[in-house]
Amino acid sequence: MNNQDERPENRLRKELPDEVPAPAAPAEPAPVEPRRTPVDPGRTPAEGGEPPLTGRQRLINGVWPPRVTRAQLIVAVLLFGLGFGLAVQVASNSDSDSALRGARQEDLVRILDELDDRTQRLEDEKQGLEKQRQELQSSSDQAAEARKQTAEKEKQLGILAGTVAAQGPGITMTVEDTKGTVKADMLLDAIQELRAAGAEAIQVNGVRVVASTYFTDSGKTVSVDGNKINAPYRFQVIGKSQDLEPALNIPGGVVQTLEKEQATATVERSDKIVVDALRQVKQPDYARSSSR
């Protein structure tokens, strides 16, 4: 045995088996182009093995078809009701203000003058009451002064109650109704407008108008406190004619309303209007004076 065979590296080679060549790797087949199919927006990549949906497609899938819950439906109904109520409110306000919006400048000035006159009348009444109080306090014969003021007050209350005849300046309004279209509520509106303008005594076709007066429709005519009256309707009004006539002729007022119903209303001023229709004094059934 040679010394070379005794070397450690030679001895290790003898003990290891011979190397076996590795088998050759089979050739890889050529890649096959995958068949493309149209993308279904409703399918996810896990279902069809297709690319994920875009952000726009996910947004469309989220909002359509709509999914409405019960709470959303209740909120929608409440919002609709609120919007409808606001629309009705705005429409009613627009209708009530349309007459003044379309009024001419001179008409608006006349309305302002009428308001100033009403304010002045209230101020005059206040001063008159203060004067009466001062006279009662300063009069040497307070009992006689009180009786005098009581008698005058009785006359004033008698005029308001319709138990005393009255005369003074004012207006006469005549309403012609050939079509029979004038209703009780239109005549009542005229009374209310005259009272607001400062009318102190009113008579309609021989019927005295007082605080308890009521108007009702009676076929093609109108009844006042149960008394049937026929056209033409004649209003005799005592008061300041400079206030009464403009109050009836304001835009959208009594005269224009009657004209829309194919009726005509004429207003005449006079220095002397006589209101002589009287009412019976009715004693109250239950009310009694609280003064002692």
Side-chain angles (χ1 to χ4, degrees):
M1 184 177 297
N2 291 333
N3 292 335
Q4 293 180 352
D5 294 337
E6 295 299 330
R7 291 180 182 177
E9 59 271 17
N10 294 332
R11 188 173 59 252
L12 182 59
R13 287 178 182 173
K14 291 181 179 181
E15 293 177 357
L16 292 175
D18 295 335
E19 294 182 0
V20 179
E28 295 183 358
V32 179
E33 183 71 18
R35 185 177 180 180
R36 296 182 180 271
T37 57
V39 177
D40 186 0
R43 297 178 61 185
T44 61
E47 294 176 351
E50 297 170 354
L53 297 176
T54 64
R56 182 176 181 181
Q57 290 172 338
R58 287 196 300 270
L59 178 61
I60 294 175
N61 291 339
V63 300
W64 189 262
R67 301 174 182 86
V68 181
T69 63
R70 182 178 180 183
Q72 292 174 339
L73 183 60
I74 293 175
V75 171
V77 172
L78 293 176
L79 291 176
F80 174 78
L82 178 60
F84 181 76
L86 291 175
V88 171
Q89 181 83 20
V90 172
S92 62
N93 292 337
S94 299
D95 293 338
S96 61
D97 296 340
S98 60
L100 291 179
R101 288 199 192 99
R104 298 174 300 175
Q105 183 177 1
E106 51 268 27
D107 293 331
L108 295 175
V109 172
R110 184 171 59 187
I111 294 173
L112 291 176
D113 291 340
E114 181 184 349
L115 293 175
D116 292 338
D117 292 339
R118 292 181 184 179
T119 304
Q120 186 61 42
R121 286 198 306 271
L122 294 174
E123 185 65 28
D124 294 341
E125 183 178 355
K126 175 185 175 183
Q127 292 178 0
L129 293 174
E130 290 179 350
K131 183 179 178 181
Q132 290 179 6
R133 181 174 61 85
Q134 292 173 1
E135 289 176 353
L136 285 173
Q137 292 175 349
S138 61
S139 176
S140 59
D141 188 358
Q142 293 185 359
E145 185 65 28
R147 286 192 296 269
K148 177 183 176 182
Q149 292 189 10
T150 301
E152 295 203 358
K153 197 69 175 178
E154 182 181 0
K155 291 181 181 179
Q156 295 175 4
L157 294 176
I159 293 175
L160 296 176
T163 59
V164 177
Q167 66 178 19
I171 63 168
T172 299
M173 182 176 72
T174 304
V175 179
E176 298 284 350
D177 182 26
T178 58
K179 303 288 187 181
T181 56
V182 176
K183 301 299 180 183
D185 59 338
M186 301 176 189
L187 300 182
L188 180 60
D189 288 342
I191 295 295
Q192 299 289 10
E193 195 66 43
L194 291 169
R195 283 174 171 168
E200 297 176 352
I202 305 174
Q203 179 175 307
V204 181
N205 286 32
V207 180
R208 188 70 169 267
V209 176
V210 294
S212 60
T213 295
Y214 61 91
F215 288 75
T216 57
D217 291 317
S218 180
K220 291 187 177 181
T221 60
V222 177
S223 293
V224 183
D225 291 336
N227 302 299
K228 186 179 293 187
I229 60 175
N230 298 314
Y233 305 108
R234 191 164 180 259
F235 291 72
Q236 294 171 271
V237 188
I238 295 177
K240 189 176 180 180
S241 57
Q242 292 86 345
D243 295 336
L244 298 175
E245 183 181 5
L248 298 173
N249 288 305
I250 61 174
V254 174
V255 174
Q256 287 190 2
T257 301
L258 292 171
E259 289 176 351
K260 290 180 181 179
E261 299 297 330
Q262 299 181 350
T264 58
T266 57
V267 181
E268 297 179 358
R269 299 186 184 186
S270 177
D271 294 332
K272 184 179 180 180
I273 299 293
V274 178
V275 176
D276 52 4
L278 302 180
R279 301 292 293 262
Q280 297 270 342
V281 179
K282 184 179 179 181
Q283 295 294 335
D285 295 329
Y286 304 101
R288 296 292 182 268
S289 175
S290 61
S291 62
R292 296 180 180 179

